[in-house]
Amino acid sequence: YCSILRHSLQQSNIPFREIDVETSRAGRWAFRASGARGIPVTLIGQQYVSGGVGPQLKALSDAGYPVYISIPDEVRQRMQAH
């Protein structure tokens, strides 16, 4: 999910800052502070959104961002292999 969200943000030209919750102390702190239970977590304004890519892209669209769903080639290849 993280790579799909990242790729979609890049392809939509939406500025973002990525914080890795697995390798960064600040990331772990931010994750705990958000109250989220899964990743990815997106902060849009003052609202934390988690629960998969769909709710996050919808929240971005609702906030006025032009969002395009974009699946990276490596994810697409893994999906086709199964």
Side-chain angles (χ1 to χ4, degrees):
Y1 292 122
C2 294
S3 61
I4 294 171
L5 180 60
R6 180 185 316 108
H7 201 255
S8 295
L9 292 171
Q10 291 168 340
Q11 295 302 309
S12 300
N13 292 316
I14 298 173
F16 67 98
R17 186 179 92 178
E18 185 172 0
I19 302 173
D20 191 327
V21 300
E22 294 178 340
T23 62
S24 162
R25 181 182 299 176
R28 287 188 296 276
W29 181 87
F31 180 75
R32 285 193 295 272
S34 76
R37 294 187 172 168
I39 54 173
V41 178
T42 304
L43 176 62
I44 305 167
Q46 298 296 314
Q47 175 189 6
Y48 285 102
V49 182
S50 62
V53 175
Q56 295 183 42
L57 295 178
K58 181 180 182 325
L60 286 163
S61 179
D62 290 348
Y65 290 98
V67 179
Y68 304 98
I69 298 172
S70 183
I71 300 173
D73 289 338
E74 65 271 8
V75 173
R76 190 182 316 276
Q77 290 168 356
R78 281 189 305 225
M79 292 167 64
Q80 292 172 346
H82 292 281

Coordinates of all heavy atoms in Angstrom, one line a residue:
Y1 N 0.8 -1.2 0.0 CA 0.0 0.0 0.0 C 0.8 1.3 0.0 O 0.5 2.2 -0.6 CB -0.9 0.0 1.2 CG -2.0 -1.0 1.1 CD1 -2.1 -2.0 2.1 CD2 -2.9 -1.1 0.1 CE1 -3.1 -2.9 2.1 CE2 -3.9 -2.1 0.0 CZ -4.0 -3.0 1.0 OH -5.0 -3.9 1.0
C2 N 2.0 1.2 0.7 CA 2.8 2.4 0.8 C 3.3 2.8 -0.6 O 3.3 4.0 -0.9 CB 4.0 2.2 1.8 SG 3.4 2.0 3.5
S3 N 3.8 1.8 -1.3 CA 4.3 2.2 -2.6 C 3.3 2.7 -3.6 O 3.5 3.6 -4.4 CB 5.1 1.0 -3.2 OG 4.2 -0.1 -3.4
I4 N 2.1 2.2 -3.5 CA 1.0 2.6 -4.4 C 0.6 4.1 -4.0 O 0.5 4.9 -4.9 CB -0.3 1.7 -4.3 CG1 0.1 0.4 -4.9 CG2 -1.5 2.4 -5.0 CD1 -1.0 -0.7 -4.6
L5 N 0.5 4.4 -2.7 CA 0.2 5.7 -2.3 C 1.3 6.7 -2.7 O 1.0 7.7 -3.2 CB 0.0 5.8 -0.7 CG -0.3 7.1 -0.2 CD1 -1.6 7.7 -0.8 CD2 -0.4 7.1 1.3
R6 N 2.6 6.3 -2.4 CA 3.7 7.1 -2.8 C 3.7 7.4 -4.3 O 3.8 8.6 -4.7 CB 5.0 6.5 -2.4 CG 6.3 7.2 -2.7 CD 7.5 6.5 -2.4 NE 7.5 5.8 -1.2 CZ 7.4 4.4 -1.0 NH1 7.4 3.6 -2.1 NH2 7.5 3.9 0.2
H7 N 3.5 6.4 -5.1 CA 3.5 6.6 -6.6 C 2.3 7.4 -7.0 O 2.5 8.3 -7.9 CB 3.5 5.2 -7.2 CG 4.0 5.2 -8.6 ND1 3.1 5.1 -9.7 CD2 5.2 5.3 -9.1 CE1 3.8 5.1 -10.8 NE2 5.1 5.2 -10.5
S8 N 1.2 7.3 -6.4 CA 0.0 8.1 -6.8 C 0.2 9.5 -6.4 O -0.1 10.4 -7.2 CB -1.2 7.5 -6.0 OG -1.5 6.2 -6.5
L9 N 0.8 9.8 -5.3 CA 1.1 11.2 -4.9 C 2.1 11.8 -5.9 O 1.9 13.0 -6.3 CB 1.7 11.2 -3.5 CG 0.7 10.9 -2.3 CD1 1.4 10.8 -1.0 CD2 -0.4 11.9 -2.3
Q10 N 3.1 11.1 -6.2 CA 4.1 11.6 -7.2 C 3.5 11.9 -8.5 O 3.7 12.9 -9.1 CB 5.3 10.6 -7.3 CG 6.1 10.5 -6.1 CD 7.1 9.3 -6.1 OE1 6.9 8.3 -6.9 NE2 8.1 9.4 -5.3
Q11 N 2.7 10.9 -9.0 CA 2.1 11.1 -10.3 C 1.0 12.2 -10.4 O 0.8 12.8 -11.4 CB 1.5 9.8 -10.8 CG 2.5 8.7 -11.1 CD 3.5 9.1 -12.1 OE1 3.2 9.5 -13.2 NE2 4.8 8.9 -11.7
S12 N 0.5 12.5 -9.2 CA -0.5 13.5 -9.1 C 0.1 14.9 -8.8 O -0.6 15.9 -8.6 CB -1.5 13.2 -8.0 OG -2.2 11.9 -8.3
N13 N 1.4 14.9 -8.6 CA 2.1 16.1 -8.3 C 1.7 16.8 -7.0 O 1.5 18.0 -6.8 CB 2.0 17.2 -9.4 CG 2.8 16.7 -10.6 OD1 3.9 16.2 -10.5 ND2 2.2 16.9 -11.8
I14 N 1.4 15.9 -6.0 CA 1.0 16.3 -4.7 C 2.2 16.3 -3.8 O 2.8 15.2 -3.6 CB -0.1 15.4 -4.1 CG1 -1.4 15.5 -5.0 CG2 -0.5 15.8 -2.7 CD1 -2.5 14.5 -4.6
P15 N 2.6 17.4 -3.2 CA 3.8 17.4 -2.4 C 3.5 16.6 -1.1 O 2.4 16.7 -0.5 CB 4.0 18.9 -2.0 CG 2.7 19.6 -2.3 CD 1.9 18.7 -3.3
F16 N 4.5 15.9 -0.7 CA 4.4 15.1 0.6 C 5.8 14.9 1.2 O 6.8 15.0 0.5 CB 3.7 13.7 0.3 CG 4.5 12.8 -0.6 CD1 5.3 11.8 0.0 CD2 4.5 12.9 -1.9 CE1 6.0 10.9 -0.7 CE2 5.2 12.0 -2.7 CZ 6.0 11.0 -2.1
R17 N 5.7 14.5 2.4 CA 7.0 14.2 3.1 C 6.7 12.8 3.7 O 5.8 12.5 4.4 CB 7.3 15.2 4.3 CG 8.6 14.9 4.9 CD 8.9 15.9 6.0 NE 8.3 15.3 7.2 CZ 8.4 15.8 8.4 NH1 9.0 17.0 8.6 NH2 8.0 15.2 9.5
E18 N 7.7 11.9 3.4 CA 7.5 10.5 3.8 C 8.4 10.3 5.1 O 9.5 10.7 5.1 CB 8.0 9.6 2.7 CG 7.8 8.1 3.0 CD 8.2 7.3 1.8 OE1 8.5 7.8 0.8 OE2 8.0 6.0 2.0
I19 N 7.8 9.7 6.1 CA 8.5 9.3 7.3 C 8.3 7.8 7.5 O 7.2 7.3 7.6 CB 7.9 10.0 8.5 CG1 8.0 11.6 8.3 CG2 8.6 9.6 9.8 CD1 7.3 12.4 9.4
D20 N 9.5 7.1 7.6 CA 9.5 5.7 7.7 C 9.3 5.3 9.2 O 10.1 5.6 10.0 CB 10.8 5.1 7.1 CG 10.7 3.6 7.0 OD1 10.1 2.9 7.8 OD2 11.4 3.1 6.1
V21 N 8.2 4.6 9.5 CA 7.9 4.3 10.9 C 8.7 3.1 11.3 O 8.8 2.8 12.5 CB 6.4 4.0 11.1 CG1 5.5 5.2 10.8 CG2 5.9 2.8 10.3
E22 N 9.3 2.4 10.4 CA 10.1 1.2 10.8 C 11.6 1.6 11.1 O 12.2 0.9 11.9 CB 10.1 0.1 9.7 CG 8.7 -0.4 9.5 CD 8.6 -1.5 8.4 OE1 9.5 -1.5 7.5 OE2 7.6 -2.2 8.4
T23 N 12.1 2.6 10.5 CA 13.5 2.9 10.6 C 13.8 4.3 11.3 O 14.9 4.6 11.6 CB 14.2 3.0 9.3 OG1 13.6 4.0 8.5 CG2 14.1 1.6 8.6
S24 N 12.7 5.0 11.6 CA 12.9 6.4 12.2 C 12.3 6.5 13.5 O 11.1 6.2 13.7 CB 12.3 7.4 11.2 OG 12.1 8.6 11.8
R25 N 13.0 7.0 14.5 CA 12.4 7.2 15.8 C 11.3 8.2 15.7 O 10.2 8.1 16.3 CB 13.5 7.8 16.8 CG 13.0 8.0 18.2 CD 14.0 8.5 19.1 NE 15.1 7.6 19.2 CZ 16.2 7.8 19.9 NH1 16.4 8.9 20.5 NH2 17.1 6.9 19.9
A26 N 11.5 9.3 14.9 CA 10.4 10.3 14.7 C 9.2 9.7 14.1 O 8.1 10.0 14.4 CB 11.0 11.5 13.9
G27 N 9.5 8.7 13.1 CA 8.4 8.1 12.5 C 7.6 7.2 13.4 O 6.3 7.2 13.4
R28 N 8.3 6.5 14.3 CA 7.6 5.6 15.3 C 6.7 6.5 16.2 O 5.6 6.2 16.6 CB 8.5 4.8 16.1 CG 9.1 3.6 15.2 CD 9.9 2.7 16.1 NE 11.1 3.2 16.6 CZ 12.3 3.3 16.0 NH1 12.4 2.9 14.7 NH2 13.3 3.9 16.5
W29 N 7.3 7.7 16.7 CA 6.6 8.6 17.5 C 5.4 9.1 16.8 O 4.3 9.1 17.4 CB 7.5 9.7 18.0 CG 6.8 10.7 18.9 CD1 6.8 10.6 20.2 CD2 6.1 11.8 18.5 NE1 6.0 11.6 20.7 CE2 5.6 12.4 19.7 CE3 5.8 12.4 17.3 CZ2 4.8 13.6 19.7 CZ3 5.0 13.6 17.3 CH2 4.5 14.1 18.5
A30 N 5.5 9.6 15.6 CA 4.4 10.1 14.9 C 3.3 9.1 14.7 O 2.1 9.4 14.8 CB 4.9 10.7 13.5
F31 N 3.7 7.8 14.4 CA 2.7 6.8 14.2 C 1.9 6.5 15.5 O 0.7 6.5 15.5 CB 3.4 5.5 13.8 CG 2.5 4.3 13.6 CD1 1.7 4.3 12.4 CD2 2.4 3.3 14.5 CE1 0.9 3.2 12.2 CE2 1.6 2.2 14.3 CZ 0.8 2.2 13.2
R32 N 2.6 6.4 16.6 CA 1.9 6.3 17.9 C 1.0 7.5 18.2 O -0.1 7.3 18.7 CB 2.9 6.0 19.0 CG 3.5 4.6 19.0 CD 4.2 4.3 20.3 NE 5.4 5.2 20.5 CZ 6.6 4.9 20.1 NH1 6.9 3.8 19.4 NH2 7.6 5.8 20.3
A33 N 1.5 8.7 17.9 CA 0.7 9.9 18.2 C -0.6 9.9 17.3 O -1.6 10.5 17.7 CB 1.5 11.1 18.0
S34 N -0.5 9.3 16.1 CA -1.7 9.4 15.2 C -2.8 8.5 15.7 O -3.9 8.7 15.3 CB -1.2 9.0 13.8 OG -1.1 7.6 13.7
G35 N -2.5 7.5 16.5 CA -3.5 6.5 17.0 C -3.8 5.5 15.9 O -4.8 4.7 16.1
A36 N -3.1 5.5 14.8 CA -3.4 4.6 13.7 C -3.0 3.2 14.1 O -2.1 3.0 14.9 CB -2.7 5.0 12.4
R37 N -3.6 2.2 13.4 CA -3.3 0.8 13.7 C -2.6 0.2 12.5 O -2.1 -0.9 12.6 CB -4.5 0.0 14.0 CG -5.2 0.5 15.3 CD -6.3 -0.4 15.7 NE -6.8 -0.1 17.0 CZ -7.9 -0.5 17.5 NH1 -8.7 -1.3 16.8 NH2 -8.3 -0.2 18.7
G38 N -2.6 0.8 11.4 CA -1.9 0.2 10.2 C -1.3 1.3 9.4 O -1.4 2.5 9.6
I39 N -0.5 0.9 8.4 CA 0.2 1.8 7.5 C -0.3 1.6 6.1 O -0.8 0.5 5.8 CB 1.8 1.7 7.6 CG1 2.2 0.2 7.3 CG2 2.3 2.1 8.9 CD1 3.6 0.0 7.2
P40 N -0.2 2.6 5.3 CA 0.3 3.9 5.5 C -0.7 4.8 6.2 O -1.9 4.6 6.3 CB 0.6 4.5 4.1 CG -0.4 3.7 3.2 CD -0.6 2.4 3.9
V41 N -0.1 5.9 6.8 CA -0.9 6.9 7.5 C -0.6 8.2 6.8 O 0.5 8.5 6.6 CB -0.5 7.0 9.0 CG1 -1.3 8.1 9.7 CG2 -0.7 5.7 9.7
T42 N -1.6 8.9 6.5 CA -1.5 10.2 5.8 C -2.1 11.3 6.7 O -3.2 11.2 7.2 CB -2.2 10.2 4.5 OG1 -1.7 9.1 3.7 CG2 -1.9 11.5 3.7
L43 N -1.3 12.4 6.9 CA -1.8 13.6 7.6 C -2.2 14.6 6.5 O -1.4 15.0 5.8 CB -0.7 14.1 8.5 CG -1.1 15.4 9.2 CD1 -2.2 15.2 10.2 CD2 0.2 15.9 10.0
I44 N -3.5 14.9 6.5 CA -4.0 15.9 5.6 C -4.6 17.0 6.4 O -5.6 16.9 7.0 CB -5.1 15.3 4.7 CG1 -4.6 14.0 4.0 CG2 -5.6 16.3 3.7 CD1 -5.6 13.2 3.3
G45 N -3.8 18.2 6.4 CA -4.2 19.2 7.3 C -4.0 18.8 8.7 O -2.9 18.4 9.1
Q46 N -5.1 18.7 9.5 CA -5.0 18.2 10.9 C -5.6 16.8 11.0 O -5.8 16.3 12.1 CB -5.7 19.2 11.8 CG -5.1 20.6 11.9 CD -3.7 20.5 12.4 OE1 -3.4 19.9 13.4 NE2 -2.7 21.2 11.7
Q47 N -6.0 16.2 9.9 CA -6.7 14.9 10.0 C -5.7 13.8 9.6 O -5.1 13.8 8.5 CB -7.8 14.9 9.0 CG -8.6 13.6 8.8 CD -9.6 13.6 7.7 OE1 -9.7 14.6 7.0 NE2 -10.3 12.6 7.6
Y48 N -5.6 12.8 10.4 CA -4.9 11.5 10.1 C -5.8 10.6 9.4 O -7.0 10.4 9.8 CB -4.4 10.8 11.4 CG -3.2 11.5 12.0 CD1 -3.3 12.3 13.1 CD2 -1.9 11.3 11.5 CE1 -2.2 12.9 13.7 CE2 -0.8 12.0 12.0 CZ -1.0 12.8 13.1 OH 0.1 13.4 13.7
V49 N -5.4 10.0 8.3 CA -6.2 9.0 7.6 C -5.3 7.8 7.4 O -4.2 7.8 7.0 CB -6.6 9.6 6.2 CG1 -7.4 8.6 5.4 CG2 -7.3 10.9 6.3
S50 N -5.9 6.6 7.7 CA -5.3 5.3 7.5 C -6.3 4.4 7.0 O -7.4 4.8 6.8 CB -4.6 4.8 8.8 OG -5.6 4.6 9.8
G51 N -6.0 3.1 6.9 CA -6.9 2.1 6.5 C -6.8 1.8 5.0 O -7.8 1.5 4.4
G52 N -5.7 1.8 4.4 CA -5.5 1.5 3.0 C -5.4 2.7 2.2 O -5.6 3.8 2.6
V53 N -5.1 2.5 0.9 CA -4.9 3.5 0.0 C -6.2 4.2 -0.4 O -6.3 5.4 -0.6 CB -4.2 3.0 -1.3 CG1 -4.1 4.0 -2.4 CG2 -2.8 2.4 -1.0
G54 N -7.3 3.5 -0.5 CA -8.6 4.1 -1.0 C -9.0 5.2 -0.1 O -9.3 6.3 -0.6
P55 N -9.2 5.0 1.2 CA -9.6 6.1 2.1 C -8.7 7.3 2.0 O -9.1 8.5 2.1 CB -9.6 5.5 3.5 CG -9.8 4.1 3.3 CD -9.0 3.8 2.0
Q56 N -7.4 7.1 1.9 CA -6.4 8.2 1.8 C -6.5 9.0 0.6 O -6.5 10.2 0.6 CB -5.0 7.6 2.0 CG -4.9 7.0 3.4 CD -3.5 6.5 3.7 OE1 -2.5 7.1 3.4 NE2 -3.5 5.3 4.4
L57 N -6.7 8.3 -0.6 CA -6.8 9.0 -1.8 C -8.2 9.8 -1.9 O -8.2 10.9 -2.4 CB -6.7 8.1 -3.0 CG -5.3 7.4 -3.2 CD1 -5.3 6.5 -4.3 CD2 -4.2 8.5 -3.4
K58 N -9.2 9.2 -1.3 CA -10.5 9.9 -1.2 C -10.4 11.1 -0.4 O -10.9 12.2 -0.7 CB -11.6 9.0 -0.7 CG -12.9 9.7 -0.6 CD -14.0 8.8 -0.1 CE -15.4 9.4 -0.1 NZ -15.5 10.8 0.2
A59 N -9.7 11.0 0.8 CA -9.5 12.2 1.7 C -8.8 13.3 1.0 O -9.1 14.5 1.1 CB -8.9 11.8 3.0
L60 N -7.7 12.9 0.2 CA -7.0 13.9 -0.6 C -7.9 14.6 -1.6 O -7.8 15.8 -1.8 CB -5.8 13.3 -1.2 CG -4.6 12.9 -0.3 CD1 -3.7 11.9 -1.0 CD2 -3.9 14.2 0.1
S61 N -8.7 13.8 -2.3 CA -9.6 14.3 -3.3 C -10.6 15.3 -2.6 O -10.9 16.4 -3.1 CB -10.3 13.2 -4.0 OG -11.2 13.7 -5.0
D62 N -11.1 14.8 -1.5 CA -12.1 15.7 -0.8 C -11.5 17.0 -0.3 O -12.2 18.0 -0.2 CB -12.7 14.9 0.5 CG -13.6 13.8 0.1 OD1 -14.0 13.7 -1.1 OD2 -13.9 13.0 1.0
A63 N -10.2 17.0 -0.1 CA -9.4 18.2 0.3 C -9.1 19.1 -0.9 O -8.5 20.1 -0.7 CB -8.2 17.8 1.1
G64 N -9.5 18.7 -2.1 CA -9.3 19.5 -3.2 C -8.1 19.1 -4.1 O -7.8 19.9 -5.0
Y65 N -7.4 18.1 -3.8 CA -6.2 17.7 -4.6 C -6.7 16.8 -5.7 O -7.5 15.9 -5.6 CB -5.2 16.8 -3.7 CG -4.5 17.6 -2.7 CD1 -4.9 17.6 -1.4 CD2 -3.4 18.4 -3.0 CE1 -4.3 18.4 -0.4 CE2 -2.7 19.1 -2.1 CZ -3.1 19.1 -0.8 OH -2.5 19.8 0.2
P66 N -6.1 17.1 -6.9 CA -6.4 16.2 -8.1 C -5.6 14.9 -8.0 O -4.4 14.9 -8.1 CB -5.9 17.1 -9.3 CG -4.8 17.9 -8.7 CD -5.2 18.1 -7.3
V67 N -6.3 13.8 -7.7 CA -5.6 12.6 -7.4 C -5.8 11.6 -8.5 O -6.9 11.4 -9.0 CB -6.2 11.9 -6.1 CG1 -5.5 10.6 -5.8 CG2 -6.0 12.9 -4.9
Y68 N -4.7 10.9 -8.9 CA -4.7 9.9 -9.9 C -4.1 8.6 -9.2 O -3.0 8.7 -8.7 CB -3.8 10.3 -11.1 CG -4.3 11.6 -11.7 CD1 -3.6 12.8 -11.4 CD2 -5.4 11.6 -12.5 CE1 -4.1 14.0 -11.9 CE2 -5.8 12.8 -13.1 CZ -5.2 14.0 -12.7 OH -5.6 15.2 -13.3
I69 N -4.8 7.5 -9.3 CA -4.3 6.3 -8.8 C -3.3 5.7 -9.7 O -3.5 5.6 -10.9 CB -5.4 5.3 -8.5 CG1 -6.4 5.8 -7.5 CG2 -4.9 3.9 -8.1 CD1 -7.7 5.0 -7.4
S70 N -2.1 5.4 -9.2 CA -1.0 5.0 -10.1 C -0.3 3.8 -9.4 O 0.2 4.0 -8.2 CB 0.0 6.1 -10.3 OG 1.0 5.7 -11.2
I71 N -0.3 2.7 -10.0 CA 0.4 1.5 -9.4 C 1.8 1.4 -10.0 O 1.9 1.3 -11.3 CB -0.5 0.2 -9.7 CG1 -1.8 0.4 -9.1 CG2 0.2 -1.0 -9.2 CD1 -2.8 -0.7 -9.4
P72 N 2.8 1.3 -9.2 CA 4.2 1.2 -9.7 C 4.3 -0.1 -10.4 O 3.7 -1.1 -10.2 CB 5.1 1.2 -8.4 CG 4.2 1.7 -7.3 CD 2.8 1.4 -7.7
D73 N 5.2 -0.2 -11.4 CA 5.5 -1.3 -12.2 C 5.8 -2.6 -11.4 O 5.3 -3.7 -11.7 CB 6.6 -1.1 -13.3 CG 6.1 -0.1 -14.3 OD1 4.9 0.0 -14.6 OD2 7.0 0.5 -15.0
E74 N 6.6 -2.4 -10.4 CA 7.0 -3.6 -9.6 C 5.8 -4.2 -8.8 O 5.7 -5.4 -8.7 CB 8.2 -3.3 -8.6 CG 7.9 -2.3 -7.5 CD 8.1 -0.8 -7.9 OE1 8.4 -0.5 -9.1 OE2 8.0 0.0 -7.0
V75 N 4.9 -3.4 -8.4 CA 3.7 -3.9 -7.7 C 2.8 -4.5 -8.7 O 2.2 -5.6 -8.5 CB 3.0 -2.7 -7.0 CG1 1.6 -3.2 -6.4 CG2 3.9 -2.1 -5.9
R76 N 2.7 -3.9 -9.9 CA 1.8 -4.5 -11.0 C 2.3 -5.9 -11.4 O 1.6 -6.8 -11.6 CB 1.8 -3.5 -12.2 CG 0.8 -3.9 -13.2 CD 0.9 -2.9 -14.4 NE 1.0 -1.5 -14.1 CZ 0.0 -0.7 -13.8 NH1 -1.2 -1.2 -13.8 NH2 0.2 0.5 -13.5
Q77 N 3.7 -6.0 -11.5 CA 4.2 -7.3 -11.8 C 4.0 -8.4 -10.8 O 3.6 -9.5 -11.1 CB 5.7 -7.2 -12.1 CG 6.1 -6.4 -13.3 CD 7.5 -6.0 -13.4 OE1 8.3 -6.2 -12.5 NE2 7.9 -5.4 -14.5
R78 N 4.1 -8.0 -9.5 CA 3.8 -8.9 -8.4 C 2.3 -9.3 -8.4 O 2.0 -10.5 -8.2 CB 4.1 -8.3 -7.0 CG 5.6 -8.4 -6.7 CD 5.8 -8.0 -5.3 NE 5.2 -6.7 -5.1 CZ 5.8 -5.7 -4.4 NH1 7.0 -5.8 -3.9 NH2 5.2 -4.5 -4.3
M79 N 1.4 -8.4 -8.7 CA 0.0 -8.7 -8.8 C -0.3 -9.7 -9.9 O -1.1 -10.6 -9.8 CB -0.8 -7.4 -9.0 CG -0.7 -6.5 -7.7 SD -1.4 -4.8 -8.1 CE -3.1 -5.2 -8.4
Q80 N 0.4 -9.5 -11.1 CA 0.1 -10.4 -12.2 C 0.7 -11.8 -12.0 O 0.2 -12.7 -12.6 CB 0.7 -9.7 -13.5 CG 0.0 -8.5 -13.9 CD 0.7 -7.8 -15.0 OE1 1.8 -8.0 -15.3 NE2 0.0 -6.8 -15.6
A81 N 1.7 -11.9 -11.1 CA 2.4 -13.2 -10.9 C 1.5 -14.1 -10.0 O 1.7 -15.3 -10.0 CB 3.7 -13.0 -10.2
H82 N 0.5 -13.5 -9.3 CA -0.3 -14.3 -8.4 C -1.6 -14.6 -9.1 O -2.4 -14.5 -9.5 CB -0.6 -13.5 -7.1 CG 0.7 -13.4 -6.3 ND1 1.2 -14.4 -5.5 CD2 1.5 -12.4 -6.1 CE1 2.3 -14.0 -4.9 NE2 2.5 -12.8 -5.3

